[in-house]
PDB file of all heavy atoms in Angstrom:
ATOM      1  N   PRO A 261      28.678 -12.652  13.754  1.00  0.00           N
ATOM      2  CA  PRO A 261      27.598 -11.682  13.735  1.00  0.00           C
ATOM      3  C   PRO A 261      26.379 -12.239  14.431  1.00  0.00           C
ATOM      4  O   PRO A 261      26.138 -13.444  14.402  1.00  0.00           O
ATOM      5  CB  PRO A 261      27.330 -11.475  12.237  1.00  0.00           C
ATOM      6  CG  PRO A 261      27.883 -12.681  11.574  1.00  0.00           C
ATOM      7  CD  PRO A 261      28.992 -13.177  12.448  1.00  0.00           C
ATOM      8  N   LYS A 271      20.536  -3.612  11.484  1.00  0.00           N
ATOM      9  CA  LYS A 271      20.762  -2.823  10.290  1.00  0.00           C
ATOM     10  C   LYS A 271      22.219  -2.894   9.880  1.00  0.00           C
ATOM     11  O   LYS A 271      23.067  -3.239  10.662  1.00  0.00           O
ATOM     12  CB  LYS A 271      20.291  -1.395  10.491  1.00  0.00           C
ATOM     13  CG  LYS A 271      21.215  -0.510  11.280  1.00  0.00           C
ATOM     14  CD  LYS A 271      20.555   0.796  11.578  1.00  0.00           C
ATOM     15  CE  LYS A 271      20.927   1.833  10.577  1.00  0.00           C
ATOM     16  NZ  LYS A 271      20.483   3.155  10.889  1.00  0.00           N
ATOM     17  N   GLY A 272      22.474  -2.490   8.646  1.00  0.00           N
ATOM     18  CA  GLY A 272      23.825  -2.397   8.144  1.00  0.00           C
ATOM     19  C   GLY A 272      24.552  -3.716   8.177  1.00  0.00           C
ATOM     20  O   GLY A 272      23.994  -4.760   7.900  1.00  0.00           O
ATOM     21  N   PRO A 273      25.865  -3.660   8.539  1.00  0.00           N
ATOM     22  CA  PRO A 273      26.704  -4.839   8.458  1.00  0.00           C
ATOM     23  C   PRO A 273      26.302  -5.971   9.384  1.00  0.00           C
ATOM     24  O   PRO A 273      26.757  -7.079   9.222  1.00  0.00           O
ATOM     25  CB  PRO A 273      28.092  -4.318   8.850  1.00  0.00           C
ATOM     26  CG  PRO A 273      28.025  -2.849   8.762  1.00  0.00           C
ATOM     27  CD  PRO A 273      26.588  -2.478   8.900  1.00  0.00           C
ATOM     28  N   SER A 274      25.453  -5.741  10.393  1.00  0.00           N
ATOM     29  CA  SER A 274      25.105  -6.811  11.305  1.00  0.00           C
ATOM     30  C   SER A 274      23.904  -7.621  10.844  1.00  0.00           C
ATOM     31  O   SER A 274      23.418  -8.447  11.557  1.00  0.00           O
ATOM     32  CB  SER A 274      24.847  -6.234  12.706  1.00  0.00           C
ATOM     33  OG  SER A 274      23.758  -5.363  12.668  1.00  0.00           O
ATOM     34  N   GLN A 275      23.441  -7.385   9.635  1.00  0.00           N
ATOM     35  CA  GLN A 275      22.329  -8.177   9.121  1.00  0.00           C
ATOM     36  C   GLN A 275      22.784  -9.613   8.978  1.00  0.00           C
ATOM     37  O   GLN A 275      23.945  -9.884   8.743  1.00  0.00           O
ATOM     38  CB  GLN A 275      21.886  -7.656   7.754  1.00  0.00           C
ATOM     39  CG  GLN A 275      21.361  -6.248   7.810  1.00  0.00           C
ATOM     40  CD  GLN A 275      21.181  -5.681   6.427  1.00  0.00           C
ATOM     41  OE1 GLN A 275      21.408  -6.355   5.449  1.00  0.00           O
ATOM     42  NE2 GLN A 275      20.757  -4.453   6.363  1.00  0.00           N
ATOM     43  N   THR A 276      21.857 -10.546   9.105  1.00  0.00           N
ATOM     44  CA  THR A 276      22.239 -11.942   9.058  1.00  0.00           C
ATOM     45  C   THR A 276      22.325 -12.433   7.627  1.00  0.00           C
ATOM     46  O   THR A 276      21.475 -12.168   6.802  1.00  0.00           O
ATOM     47  CB  THR A 276      21.230 -12.815   9.813  1.00  0.00           C
ATOM     48  OG1 THR A 276      19.956 -12.621   9.241  1.00  0.00           O
ATOM     49  CG2 THR A 276      21.197 -12.475  11.277  1.00  0.00           C
ATOM     50  N   GLY A 306      22.477  -6.746   3.491  1.00  0.00           N
ATOM     51  CA  GLY A 306      23.764  -7.388   3.734  1.00  0.00           C
ATOM     52  C   GLY A 306      24.850  -6.336   3.710  1.00  0.00           C
ATOM     53  O   GLY A 306      24.615  -5.166   3.974  1.00  0.00           O
ATOM     54  N   GLU A 307      26.043  -6.762   3.392  1.00  0.00           N
ATOM     55  CA  GLU A 307      27.147  -5.820   3.261  1.00  0.00           C
ATOM     56  C   GLU A 307      27.315  -5.526   1.777  1.00  0.00           C
ATOM     57  O   GLU A 307      28.209  -6.052   1.129  1.00  0.00           O
ATOM     58  CB  GLU A 307      28.409  -6.389   3.885  1.00  0.00           C
ATOM     59  CG  GLU A 307      28.292  -6.499   5.397  1.00  0.00           C
ATOM     60  CD  GLU A 307      29.605  -6.849   6.050  1.00  0.00           C
ATOM     61  OE1 GLU A 307      30.662  -6.528   5.482  1.00  0.00           O
ATOM     62  OE2 GLU A 307      29.562  -7.442   7.129  1.00  0.00           O
ATOM     63  N   HIS A 418      27.187   4.826   5.622  1.00  0.00           N
ATOM     64  CA  HIS A 418      28.637   4.658   5.751  1.00  0.00           C
ATOM     65  C   HIS A 418      29.386   5.063   4.504  1.00  0.00           C
ATOM     66  O   HIS A 418      28.910   4.912   3.400  1.00  0.00           O
ATOM     67  CB  HIS A 418      28.980   3.217   6.123  1.00  0.00           C
ATOM     68  CG  HIS A 418      28.581   2.245   5.055  1.00  0.00           C
ATOM     69  ND1 HIS A 418      27.298   1.834   4.851  1.00  0.00           N
ATOM     70  CD2 HIS A 418      29.331   1.642   4.104  1.00  0.00           C
ATOM     71  CE1 HIS A 418      27.248   0.989   3.831  1.00  0.00           C
ATOM     72  NE2 HIS A 418      28.481   0.872   3.371  1.00  0.00           N
TER      73      HIS A 418
END
Side-chain angles (χ1 to χ4, degrees):
K271 78 188 264 188
S274 63
Q275 297 169 2
T276 58
E307 292 189 27
H418 64 283

